[in-house]
Amino acid sequence: MEPLYGPLSRSIRLYEVGFHEIVEFFYKLAEAADILKGEDRPLPYAPAKPPSDLLEPVEGTISVKHGFPVFQKGGVVMDVTNTEQAGIAEDAGAVAVMVLDKLPYDVRRAGGVARMADVKVIEQVMEAVTIPVMAKVRIGHYYEARILEAIGVDMIDESEVLTPVDEAHHINKWAFKVPFVNGARSLGEALRRIYEGASMIRTKGEAGTGNVAEAVRHMKQIMNEVWRLRSLPSEELLRVSRELGVPSQLVEFTAKLGRLPVVNFAAGGIATPADAALMMWLGADGVFVGSGIFKSRDPAERAAAIVLATSMWDDPESVAEAQRMISEEKSMMGIDVRKLKPEELLQVRGAES
Amino acid sequence: MRVGVLGFQGGVYEHVYTTRRALEEVGVSGSVGIVKKPADVDAVDALIIPGGESTTIGILAHRTGVLDRIRERVAGGMPVLGTCAGAIIMAEKVSDRVLGEKSQPLIGSMSIEVVRNYFGRQRESFEAEISIEGFEKAFRGVFIRSPAIKSAWGRARIVGWVNYRGEKVGAVAVQDGLMATAFHPELAGDTRIHRFWIERALAFVKK
């Protein structure tokens, strides 16, 4: 059979190893790290590998946590602030909703400290839709994350859109049963977050601008850095891993796969079906849309159109059909990233640790 | 045998990887491709509907005309393996554990009743051993916000169960060339379910 959507062998989405081998790799990495740290470590680095013969069901394993985002691939996660928006997102075909107190565009305008959303609102959304519900916590805020885990949120976004509480440390995500997604602008940031236990990476882009330029830059940066790794001899990989601040095994494994070893979405400034298709073409596994939908004047149509364009990105006719479903005059106005002052950029938050 | 994986959303490439391995192990010459348009459905002998969000996959398959085409092909005997969301899309009767009956586009060709989000939310997702008729050793199943197969009638039969905190819950069902699993065999690194389905499917593939 002729490959229908380009040769599968060259697709960045077809891993060279099976999912279980990726999980196995993380267990080995955790074991090595635990031996190095010794017995008196304050937190377990990662859950122990379940025995080969299970008598009881076991929750929170790496297969279960890293498996969750696998089933978000090809989909659109939509930012919502209430149950009505969540219903529109579900009906449009969103794979999940992300509950926020304010859309990133409004966070930017409001200023002040941006925190986790209202627990009651998150719970209302969880009761209103059948699709997964995500919510954001501030970078380094263990207790916002513990609260979201306790109420049963399906995935936690440790997000630069909210005001960080710890500039030096991110959350040790291995210590949670619920999977995490983290933003990244470069391979180093992505691999550090993965080493801390992130089950999924997304580009940071520049949230709340309606301008996809920064997401494009970050996706290309990560892809280019991965491709560069593939041409390096192993002693060079060792040097790179020291520079990036992660174990060499993780860098070698990434080089071998030719992509990040976890699901990698695009986020930050996606406002139209064409923006979403562009990010998929650049190699994203799926997209997050923040202000782009509910800051537009045609949210229901736009949500459905972005879902269609994200899934059918490799069929230009379908993307054109999606683009026809919206009208440009109803798009969010957007902000030119170059006009933002350095202190107004959200993407630099948590980048150095 | 030309196997297609419904490629709108979800664990598509995990099935491509596992099916390629399974075809090789069974010794069946074949290919694996991605299906996103009605014409793609006609270009395959058998189809896999992967895990993902069943609402998303259903909406896209409906909009593109693929859903109707699959339903016609299934009526004509095309074998299908549906995993997790795929099992929901195949099922004649679907409800949500919390929200009850909700309308969503489905194929509905398999005489089974499936309950969405049966075990709870992602926090309650788990790994467990599944006993399957005819399998010598248990199969390690990864259940991610998985449904349960509550009942089967007509030509459909439940053939695999998970022992979930004392409750025996249906996890695998077959009906001629159709097979549904509540969990994700494509994540397991164990090709037995894919091999089992391919061998069953061969009998139903039109020469």
Side-chain angles (χ1 to χ4, degrees):
Chain A
M1 180 171 57
E2 279 297 301
L4 300 165
Y5 297 96
L8 276 174
S9 55
R10 269 196 273 138
S11 170
I12 191 167
R13 294 177 177 84
L14 184 63
Y15 292 63
E16 282 174 35
V17 302
F19 176 81
H20 68 287
E21 287 166 272
I22 295 175
V23 170
E24 199 62 37
F25 166 81
F26 281 110
Y27 279 122
K28 281 203 190 113
L29 193 67
E31 211 177 300
D34 275 352
I35 291 165
L36 290 176
K37 280 186 201 155
E39 293 302 313
D40 55 349
R41 59 188 186 276
L43 286 167
Y45 171 81
K49 193 178 169 184
S52 58
D53 228 352
L54 283 182
L55 297 172
E56 282 290 320
V58 47
E59 297 169 347
T61 62
I62 297 179
S63 288
V64 163
K65 286 173 70 181
H66 282 31
F68 172 78
V70 167
F71 303 103
Q72 298 278 301
K73 290 196 292 186
V76 183
V77 181
M78 300 182 190
D79 279 3
V80 301
T81 58
N82 57 45
T83 53
E84 187 203 348
Q85 290 180 350
I88 292 171
E90 182 178 42
D91 292 342
V95 288
V97 291
M98 173 83 69
V99 187
L100 291 96
D101 179 47
K102 293 186 209 60
L103 294 174
Y105 179 82
D106 296 319
V107 168
R108 197 174 273 294
R109 300 208 347 178
V113 177
R115 310 183 182 88
M116 175 181 83
D118 193 323
V119 169
K120 292 187 291 294
V121 175
I122 300 170
E123 285 176 327
Q124 283 163 9
V125 171
M126 284 165 53
E127 281 162 26
V129 296
T130 62
I131 56 177
V133 175
M134 306 183 184
K136 290 183 191 286
V137 299
R138 288 177 269 175
I139 291 174
H141 206 311
Y142 269 83
Y143 263 80
E144 285 188 344
R146 282 289 176 222
I147 290 166
L148 293 185
E149 183 178 52
I151 65 173
V153 158
D154 297 294
M155 182 173 238
I156 298 172
D157 184 2
E158 188 180 19
S159 176
E160 70 283 1
V161 171
L162 307 184
T163 313
V165 297
D166 190 338
E167 286 292 347
H169 306 93
H170 282 69
I171 295 170
N172 171 9
K173 291 158 276 279
W174 297 114
F176 289 77
K177 248 165 90 177
V178 173
F180 277 71
V181 52
N182 274 93
R185 300 188 302 167
S186 63
L187 181 64
E189 267 190 75
L191 294 182
R192 287 194 294 276
R193 299 297 85 82
I194 292 169
Y195 186 53
E196 292 159 0
S199 300
M200 183 185 195
I201 294 295
R202 55 169 175 77
T203 57
K204 284 183 167 174
E206 190 56 36
T209 60
N211 185 339
V212 78
E214 292 302 292
V216 168
R217 189 211 306 276
H218 299 159
M219 189 57 80
K220 283 192 165 170
Q221 172 74 26
I222 291 172
M223 296 290 173
N224 287 341
E225 284 185 85
V226 171
W227 279 104
R228 222 172 301 138
L229 288 184
R230 277 173 88 93
S231 62
L232 294 178
S234 52
E235 60 271 23
E236 274 297 295
L237 291 179
L238 198 63
R239 182 187 58 76
V240 171
S241 65
R242 277 198 296 265
E243 268 176 31
L244 301 183
V246 292
S248 58
Q249 297 97 312
L250 184 55
V251 172
E252 283 163 20
F253 192 58
T254 305
K256 180 186 169 194
L257 294 179
R259 57 157 295 148
L260 293 181
V262 300
V263 171
N264 181 26
F265 268 42
I270 295 163
T272 68
D275 288 350
L278 172 68
M279 295 315 300
M280 294 300 285
W281 177 69
L282 288 173
D285 291 318
V287 302
F288 286 87
V289 184
S291 316
I293 292 170
F294 291 103
K295 277 288 151 190
S296 74
R297 283 180 289 127
D298 52 0
E301 295 81 3
R302 190 168 297 255
I306 294 178
V307 168
L308 179 63
T310 301
S311 174
M312 301 293 285
W313 66 275
D314 44 6
D315 179 52
E317 274 174 39
S318 299
V319 180
E321 184 193 330
Q323 196 70 17
R324 213 176 286 126
M325 290 159 68
I326 62 146
S327 61
E328 179 53 23
E329 60 176 25
K330 290 180 178 161
S331 293
M332 72 182 279
M333 184 58 90
I335 299 169
D336 186 344
V337 180
R338 287 168 303 183
K339 301 251 166 71
L340 291 174
K341 299 192 196 82
E343 64 272 22
E344 290 175 326
L345 289 175
L346 302 176
Q347 58 177 276
V348 297
R349 292 170 166 180
E352 298 307 319
S353 64
Chain B
M1 183 160 85
R2 300 167 304 174
V3 180
V5 181
L6 192 63
F8 293 115
Q9 192 268 313
V12 176
Y13 293 90
E14 289 69 15
H15 270 298
V16 171
Y17 179 89
T18 308
T19 308
R20 279 181 173 177
R21 266 187 58 195
L23 281 170
E24 219 168 89
E25 289 168 7
V26 174
V28 172
S29 74
S31 60
V32 187
I34 293 199
V35 168
K36 289 206 224 181
K37 290 187 150 186
D40 304 339
V41 182
D42 294 327
V44 299
D45 302 311
L47 183 71
I48 295 175
I49 306 180
E53 282 307 313
S54 61
T55 46
T56 306
I57 296 171
I59 287 167
L60 286 164
H62 177 66
R63 173 177 266 283
T64 50
V66 166
L67 198 70
D68 288 340
R69 194 67 199 106
I70 294 174
R71 202 180 289 119
E72 286 162 24
R73 285 286 318 273
V74 172
M78 177 174 70
V80 180
L81 169 63
T83 59
C84 195
I88 295 168
I89 291 169
M90 293 297 294
E92 200 178 306
K93 227 176 143 212
V94 175
S95 60
D96 184 89
R97 185 181 60 95
V98 180
L99 294 171
E101 301 267 338
K102 275 211 128 188
S103 70
Q104 61 181 105
L106 303 165
I107 291 164
S109 303
M110 217 172 159
S111 304
I112 54 174
E113 182 190 1
V114 170
V115 180
R116 283 184 69 187
N117 301 322
Y118 184 79
F119 303 96
R121 308 193 67 92
Q122 172 59 21
R123 196 180 49 186
E124 285 83 44
S125 292
F126 62 95
E127 290 181 48
E129 308 290 353
I130 299 151
S131 47
I132 303 174
E133 280 178 20
F135 281 38
E136 226 168 86
K137 273 180 62 195
F139 194 96
R140 173 68 64 86
V142 180
F143 291 75
I144 294 178
R145 287 175 52 96
S146 281
I149 303 173
K150 283 301 278 181
S151 60
W153 57 92
R155 297 187 63 80
R157 230 161 44 80
I158 298 180
V159 296
W161 289 268
V162 58
N163 188 341
Y164 185 75
R165 311 203 189 294
E167 184 193 356
K168 196 177 164 196
V169 181
V172 186
V174 292
Q175 174 184 322
D176 302 322
L178 308 179
M179 183 169 181
T181 68
F183 56 96
H184 295 289
E186 73 282 12
L187 299 188
D190 180 341
T191 54
R192 281 181 295 162
I193 287 185
H194 284 74
R195 281 173 2 217
F196 177 84
W197 173 68
I198 288 166
E199 282 173 344
R200 268 182 89 87
L202 281 172
F204 296 92
V205 170
K206 298 236 164 66
K207 293 290 173 323

